Amino acid sequence: MLKQERHAYILHQVNLHNKVLSSTLSDEINVSEDTIRRDLQELADIGKLIKVHGGAISHSFYGNSFVSQPNVYSLANKITIAKKAVSVIKDGMFVLTGGGTTIIEMARLLPASLKATFITTSIQAALEYTNHPNIEVIIAGDKISKSSKITVGVESIERLKKIKADLCIMGVNAIDVQYGVSDNDWDVVQTKKAMIESSQKVVCLTIAEKINTIQPIHVCGINKINMLVTEFPANDPKLSEYVNAGVEIM
């Protein structure tokens, strides 16, 4: 693969998954990690991504998410997903959410009349929820992961374990019928596992491009997911395997 092709592939992956690992890119592209590190540095030098220890993260995810960002990857599809997700939330619910761009869009679309309690690991989502007059907001806090912008760590997980939420709504980095939900950040995975176990119903939000993809760290099996929300119609053939696995599609 030529350098230009590698750079295009890397940028697509960082936009799609918000964060990439040098080791994963090395395996996928079949070049050395030294080559990947040089590629990441070159892309960082021209402002295309942010190089971090072990990989890179996207500008749109790391930037100021308190305001709408037109450079968010697949923004129109994420807004479509967010609109669908809002319809699942009912008055009186205790809703547990993580972070990510789709969750932020969902938070912005919540009706002012909604009366519910939102427990979140995301500072950005929490601030969006506070804009709604009838929503109570609780942060499950500990230390903040700079790359994911959610609270992670032992204290956060212990607090999550004490919650019994009606609904868990979380964005996913990758989902596959056989492997389930996966991610590329160890701390984020531990937080997501605790969120899933603390909720009666789990709703996953993802753009369709992440369906049938796998990231290095396993979060949960497909049997833990009650509902999958994408921009596709529920009867799209790409989603039929998930329907057969018992997942409700929206």
Side-chain angles (χ1 to χ4, degrees):
M1 188 180 290
L2 299 174
K3 181 193 283 191
Q4 187 176 5
E5 294 173 316
R6 290 200 311 271
H7 284 193
Y9 181 85
I10 290 168
L11 288 174
H12 180 257
Q13 291 301 306
V14 78
N15 283 324
L16 181 61
H17 296 293
N18 299 317
K19 177 182 178 181
V20 292
L21 303 177
S22 299
S23 57
T24 301
L25 291 171
S26 174
D27 290 340
E28 292 174 348
I29 302 176
N30 195 27
V31 295
S32 70
E33 285 197 46
D34 283 341
T35 299
I36 293 297
R37 280 192 285 269
R38 287 194 295 271
D39 286 340
L40 293 179
Q41 188 60 61
E42 288 180 25
L43 290 167
D45 288 343
I46 59 175
K48 296 293 186 180
L49 49 73
I50 300 171
K51 190 173 183 292
V52 296
H53 178 71
I57 56 179
S58 70
H59 274 291
S60 63
F61 187 74
Y62 194 72
N64 178 14
S65 291
F66 305 130
V67 295
S68 293
Q69 292 193 68
N71 62 332
V72 169
Y73 184 76
S74 199
L75 180 59
N77 288 332
K78 290 177 179 178
I79 291 172
T80 297
I81 294 165
K83 289 176 180 176
K84 291 183 180 183
V86 167
S87 68
V88 180
I89 305 166
K90 308 300 180 185
D91 280 345
M93 277 188 169
F94 278 73
V95 184
L96 181 56
T97 77
T101 48
T102 308
I103 294 289
I104 299 300
E105 295 304 327
M106 183 195 75
R108 291 180 177 135
L109 292 169
L110 294 171
S113 59
L114 178 68
K115 297 178 181 178
T117 299
F118 279 73
I119 308 107
T120 185
T121 58
S122 167
I123 304 300
Q124 295 168 328
L127 288 173
E128 292 293 344
Y129 296 142
T130 60
N131 291 327
H132 297 271
N134 296 305
I135 288 177
E136 296 293 331
V137 186
I138 300 170
I139 295 179
D142 194 349
K143 69 175 183 178
I144 298 173
S145 165
K146 288 187 177 181
S147 61
S148 63
K149 292 193 174 181
I150 67 168
T151 57
V152 296
V154 175
E155 268 191 55
S156 180
I157 289 171
E158 287 302 313
R159 289 176 186 175
L160 289 170
K161 286 180 178 178
K162 296 174 183 177
I163 293 167
K164 290 299 176 187
D166 298 298
L167 200 60
C168 169
I169 303 180
M170 66 178 187
V172 298
N173 219 337
I175 187 166
D176 177 81
V177 169
Q178 301 301 322
Y179 191 64
V181 177
S182 54
D183 209 304
N184 56 21
D185 187 306
W186 176 262
D187 287 332
V188 170
V189 166
Q190 306 318 306
T191 299
K192 286 185 173 181
K193 285 182 176 181
M195 290 170 61
I196 290 166
E197 293 303 319
S198 296
S199 305
Q200 293 183 39
K201 184 175 183 178
V202 178
V203 178
C204 288
L205 314 182
T206 181
I207 56 173
E209 199 173 348
K210 294 183 182 181
I211 293 172
N212 300 334
T213 67
I214 296 173
Q215 288 288 293
I217 310 172
H218 186 252
V219 177
C220 70
I222 203 70
N223 61 311
K224 293 284 189 178
I225 305 305
N226 300 104
M227 180 181 287
L228 179 63
V229 186
T230 80
E231 75 273 24
F232 282 3
N235 61 354
D236 190 280
K238 189 173 184 179
L239 304 172
S240 59
E241 283 188 299
Y242 297 87
V243 174
N244 295 336
V247 180
E248 183 181 354
I249 305 296
M250 176 176 278

